[in-house]
Amino acid sequence: MIYHGNRFTFKPEARPEQIERALDSLRNQGRVVPSVTSFTVGRDFGGEFEWGAMFVIENGLDGYWEYLTHPAHLNTDRVGLPLVDRFMSFDITDGTDPEVGAKIAELHQRRFDAMPDINDLVSGLGEYTGSAAPGPHGKP
């Protein structure tokens, strides 16, 4: 199992109806991506972000790839990322493969390479930390 988390803060100019549309899209991807077995989307407390989401993904890296490239996830990227200022993604796994972090980063990079519009959306965030952060976020 891979537990994929996101923490984020919307731009101050994002309108409430835009925010609700983005959050609804996040919830929808949790419902329709076959490899997602459970999820939660809601307020993030105890940190410096406003919102968060967690998706429990079955089938290891194959399920993770399905999640990353599923049309519902891509819709969330396209409607949500233009509204986001700060974003963090992270992954927790109960597996024992010491290379899983690098393999997850490779999946993200493969997606960014294959989908320039998604790469551009993530690259345009005010701040992004996480697996294979593209653009200025991925430079040391």
Coordinates of all heavy atoms in Angstrom, one line a residue, residues 4 8 17 23-24 32 34 37 39 41 53 56 62 67-68 73-74 92 115 119 121-122 135:
H4 N -0.7 8.3 -0.3 CA -0.3 9.5 -1.0 C -1.0 10.7 -0.4 O -2.2 10.7 -0.4 CB -0.6 9.4 -2.5 CG -0.3 10.6 -3.3 ND1 1.1 11.0 -3.4 CD2 -1.0 11.5 -3.9 CE1 1.0 12.1 -4.1 NE2 -0.2 12.4 -4.4
F8 N -2.0 21.8 0.9 CA -2.0 22.9 0.0 C -2.7 24.1 0.5 O -3.6 24.0 1.4 CB -2.6 22.5 -1.4 CG -3.9 21.9 -1.4 CD1 -5.1 22.6 -1.5 CD2 -4.0 20.5 -1.2 CE1 -6.3 22.0 -1.5 CE2 -5.2 19.9 -1.1 CZ -6.4 20.6 -1.3
E17 N -16.3 29.5 -5.0 CA -16.9 28.5 -6.0 C -15.8 27.7 -6.7 O -15.9 26.5 -7.0 CB -17.9 29.1 -6.9 CG -17.4 30.1 -7.8 CD -17.4 31.6 -7.3 OE1 -17.6 31.8 -6.1 OE2 -17.1 32.5 -8.1
L23 N -12.0 21.1 -4.8 CA -12.2 20.1 -3.7 C -13.1 19.0 -4.1 O -12.9 17.8 -3.8 CB -12.7 20.8 -2.4 CG -11.7 21.8 -1.8 CD1 -12.4 22.5 -0.6 CD2 -10.4 21.1 -1.4
D24 N -14.2 19.3 -4.9 CA -15.1 18.3 -5.4 C -14.4 17.3 -6.4 O -14.6 16.1 -6.4 CB -16.3 18.9 -6.1 CG -17.3 19.5 -5.1 OD1 -17.3 19.1 -3.9 OD2 -18.2 20.2 -5.6
V32 N -13.4 7.5 -8.0 CA -13.4 6.8 -9.3 C -12.1 6.1 -9.7 O -12.1 5.3 -10.6 CB -14.0 7.7 -10.4 CG1 -15.3 8.3 -10.1 CG2 -13.0 8.8 -10.7
P34 N -9.7 3.4 -9.7 CA -9.8 2.0 -9.2 C -8.8 1.6 -8.2 O -9.1 0.9 -7.2 CB -9.7 1.2 -10.5 CG -10.1 2.0 -11.6 CD -9.7 3.4 -11.2
T37 N -8.3 2.9 -2.5 CA -9.2 2.1 -1.7 C -9.9 2.9 -0.6 O -11.0 2.5 -0.2 CB -8.5 0.9 -1.0 OG1 -7.4 1.5 -0.2 CG2 -7.9 0.0 -2.0
F39 N -10.0 7.4 1.0 CA -9.4 8.7 0.8 C -10.1 9.6 1.8 O -11.2 9.3 2.3 CB -9.6 9.2 -0.6 CG -11.1 9.6 -1.0 CD1 -11.5 10.9 -0.9 CD2 -11.9 8.6 -1.4 CE1 -12.9 11.2 -1.2 CE2 -13.2 8.8 -1.7 CZ -13.7 10.1 -1.6
V41 N -10.5 14.2 2.1 CA -10.2 15.5 1.6 C -10.8 16.5 2.7 O -12.0 16.4 3.0 CB -10.8 15.8 0.2 CG1 -10.6 17.2 -0.2 CG2 -10.3 14.8 -0.8
A53 N -5.3 16.2 1.5 CA -6.0 15.1 1.0 C -5.1 13.9 1.2 O -3.8 14.0 1.1 CB -6.3 15.3 -0.5
V56 N -5.3 6.3 -0.3 CA -4.7 5.0 0.0 C -4.8 4.2 -1.3 O -5.8 4.0 -1.9 CB -5.4 4.2 1.1 CG1 -4.8 2.9 1.3 CG2 -5.5 5.0 2.4
D62 N 2.2 0.1 -9.7 CA 1.3 0.0 -10.8 C 0.0 0.8 -10.4 O -0.5 1.6 -11.3 CB 0.9 -1.4 -11.1 CG 2.0 -2.2 -11.8 OD1 2.9 -1.5 -12.3 OD2 2.1 -3.4 -11.7
Y67 N -3.2 5.9 -10.7 CA -3.7 7.1 -10.0 C -3.2 8.4 -10.6 O -4.0 9.3 -10.9 CB -3.3 7.0 -8.5 CG -3.5 8.3 -7.7 CD1 -4.7 8.7 -7.2 CD2 -2.4 9.2 -7.6 CE1 -4.8 9.9 -6.5 CE2 -2.5 10.4 -6.9 CZ -3.7 10.7 -6.3 OH -3.9 11.9 -5.7
L68 N -1.9 8.5 -10.9 CA -1.3 9.7 -11.5 C -1.9 10.0 -12.8 O -2.0 11.2 -13.2 CB 0.2 9.5 -11.6 CG 1.0 9.6 -10.3 CD1 2.5 9.3 -10.6 CD2 0.9 10.9 -9.6
H73 N -7.9 12.4 -11.9 CA -6.7 13.0 -11.3 C -6.2 14.2 -12.2 O -6.0 15.3 -11.7 CB -5.6 12.0 -11.0 CG -4.4 12.6 -10.3 ND1 -3.4 13.2 -11.0 CD2 -4.2 12.7 -9.0 CE1 -2.5 13.7 -10.1 NE2 -2.9 13.4 -8.9
L74 N -6.2 13.9 -13.5 CA -5.7 15.0 -14.4 C -6.7 16.2 -14.4 O -6.3 17.3 -14.4 CB -5.6 14.4 -15.8 CG -4.5 13.4 -15.9 CD1 -4.5 12.8 -17.3 CD2 -3.1 13.9 -15.6
I92 N 3.8 7.6 2.0 CA 4.1 6.7 3.1 C 3.8 5.3 2.6 O 2.7 5.1 2.0 CB 3.3 7.1 4.4 CG1 3.6 8.5 4.8 CG2 3.7 6.1 5.5 CD1 2.7 9.0 5.9
M115 N 3.3 14.8 -20.1 CA 2.1 15.7 -20.1 C 2.6 17.1 -19.8 O 2.6 17.6 -18.6 CB 1.2 15.3 -19.0 CG 0.6 13.9 -19.2 SD -0.4 13.3 -17.9 CE -0.8 11.7 -18.4
N119 N 3.1 19.5 -16.3 CA 4.4 20.0 -15.8 C 4.3 21.5 -15.7 O 4.8 22.0 -14.7 CB 5.4 19.6 -16.9 CG 6.8 20.0 -16.5 OD1 7.4 19.5 -15.6 ND2 7.3 21.0 -17.1
L121 N 1.7 23.4 -15.1 CA 0.9 23.8 -14.0 C 1.6 23.7 -12.6 O 1.6 24.6 -11.8 CB -0.4 23.0 -13.9 CG -1.4 23.3 -15.0 CD1 -2.5 22.3 -15.0 CD2 -2.0 24.7 -14.8
V122 N 2.3 22.6 -12.5 CA 3.1 22.3 -11.3 C 4.3 23.3 -11.2 O 4.6 23.8 -10.1 CB 3.5 20.9 -11.1 CG1 4.4 20.6 -9.9 CG2 2.3 19.9 -11.0
G135 N 10.6 22.1 -12.9 CA 10.8 23.5 -13.0 C 11.7 24.0 -11.9 O 12.6 23.3 -11.4

